[in-house]
Amino acid sequence: MKRIAVLGVGSIFLFAGSSKAGFLIDFEASVGAIQQKPSGYVSYKPISDTDKIDVKNDAHLGNKTKPWAKFKFEHPIPIIPNIKLAYMPMKFDGSGVLTRNINWGNYTYKANADYNLSVKLDRVDTTLYYNLPFINTATAGKLDVELGLNVRTIMFDGKLNGTDKNTGQKVSESKSITLPIPMGHLAAEIKPINQVSLLGEFNYIGYNKNTYYDYTAGLRLNSHGLISTPLKPFIEVGYRYEKLKLDEKDVKSDLKIKGGYALVGVRF
């Protein structure tokens, strides 16, 4: 992890001379809602594959709609990276009856036991990036590309509560991890006309037995040229997909979370 983080920071400074050209400071803030539809499995101290809990078929985790807040700051100083911040809460709960014995933590939950699974994956994104001005210049402002490093801090909490039907014994085992994950970051905005933008973003890292990536694709309607106020409102709709294959501190998971989103925001 440390080596990856160092390499990621080093790659950013290779592009230090490519920061966004211009003399204006740009701010952007947006807030909205995102669908979160989970699939895959999660486990804690598994002994075999039978200890993997399928979040749909075993735990019946339901889909959620959660808030999503984003902030963006760009400046004309070449050597200092631009910055984006984002916060997205994520929590799923489900219950069922075990069809097999499952080892979770330091306890083996017996077949036919009632149980409840709670998985939390709140995250904060801190992205340092540079715009590539030669692309923007070559396309007369129609294409903007960002390249940098995203550090995603995940606050993971997995809890399994179970009740043995034969003895009535109630057992609860949980695991919490705060995990900062450095990811390569690539984003692009295509603007065929000032009032319409097509946006895409991709974050990725792979190390040891871990693979983590996500991408978004969106359509933004801008008020540029339509109003004369300093604040330029916009609306954005799109789709987000995330895959988290994790093997850290006795927690193993292979989760996929996808869904549409809608944001409203301002640029100034």
Side-chain angles (χ1 to χ4, degrees):
M1 285 287 290
K2 291 182 179 179
R3 181 184 296 177
I4 293 169
V6 170
L7 289 175
V9 172
S11 67
I12 281 181
F13 284 98
L14 287 176
F15 293 93
S18 300
S19 186
K20 187 176 182 179
F23 300 93
L24 298 178
I25 295 176
D26 295 326
F27 295 90
E28 180 180 305
S30 60
V31 64
I34 181 166
Q35 295 177 321
Q36 298 169 349
K37 302 177 181 180
S39 62
Y41 73 84
V42 63
S43 59
Y44 173 39
K45 292 186 178 179
I47 297 174
S48 67
D49 285 346
T50 61
D51 297 322
K52 297 176 179 178
I53 298 178
D54 188 299
V55 300
K56 279 294 184 183
N57 298 324
D58 292 331
H60 310 291
L61 297 191
N63 302 333
K64 297 288 186 178
T65 299
K66 293 288 187 177
W68 192 13
K70 304 171 74 176
F71 175 81
K72 184 175 182 178
F73 172 72
E74 292 187 351
H75 59 81
I77 305 173
I79 197 170
I80 300 177
N82 302 306
I83 186 168
K84 292 191 285 190
L85 301 172
Y87 171 69
M88 182 192 298
M90 187 177 292
K91 185 179 181 182
F92 306 100
D93 295 280
S95 59
V97 178
L98 293 180
T99 59
R100 62 193 184 281
N101 293 351
I102 288 180
N103 188 79
W104 178 278
N106 298 313
Y107 185 79
T108 299
Y109 294 77
K110 301 298 184 180
N112 299 317
D114 295 323
Y115 75 98
N116 172 266
L117 176 68
S118 174
V119 178
K120 185 175 77 170
L121 288 162
D122 292 354
R123 73 277 312 283
V124 175
D125 285 293
T126 304
T127 308
L128 303 178
Y129 70 96
Y130 293 94
N131 301 87
L132 304 184
F134 57 89
I135 293 180
N136 190 280
T137 302
T139 60
K142 301 297 184 183
L143 175 61
D144 186 29
V145 176
E146 302 170 0
L147 189 63
L149 173 71
N150 177 42
V151 178
R152 176 165 298 160
T153 303
I154 292 183
M155 286 73 79
F156 171 87
D157 184 76
K159 181 182 292 186
L160 188 65
N161 300 312
T163 302
D164 192 307
K165 287 187 174 181
N166 295 322
T167 65
Q169 181 183 12
K170 295 184 178 180
V171 180
S172 179
E173 288 277 334
S174 63
K175 177 68 174 181
S176 297
I177 304 174
T178 298
L179 191 64
I181 303 176
M183 309 171 75
H185 172 77
L186 175 65
E189 179 179 4
I190 303 173
K191 191 180 294 184
I193 59 174
N194 288 332
Q195 290 75 35
V196 178
S197 298
L198 301 174
L199 301 102
E201 185 174 303
F202 181 66
N203 298 289
Y204 175 86
I205 189 173
Y207 63 96
N208 297 333
K209 298 178 181 180
N210 302 279
T211 303
Y212 190 17
Y213 68 86
D214 66 83
Y215 65 82
T216 60
L219 171 68
R220 178 177 293 186
L221 302 180
N222 305 288
S223 63
H224 182 79
L226 301 178
I227 60 175
S228 58
T229 61
L231 298 179
K232 302 296 190 294
F234 63 83
I235 59 174
E236 180 181 331
V237 294
Y239 176 84
R240 185 177 186 277
Y241 178 92
E242 177 176 333
K243 179 179 174 66
L244 174 57
K245 187 175 182 181
L246 180 69
D247 187 354
E248 290 280 350
K249 300 180 181 179
D250 297 322
V251 174
K252 292 185 178 182
S253 69
D254 191 349
L255 294 172
K256 302 176 184 66
I257 302 159
K258 58 185 179 181
Y261 70 87
L263 300 168
V264 294
V266 293
R267 301 180 78 162
F268 52 97

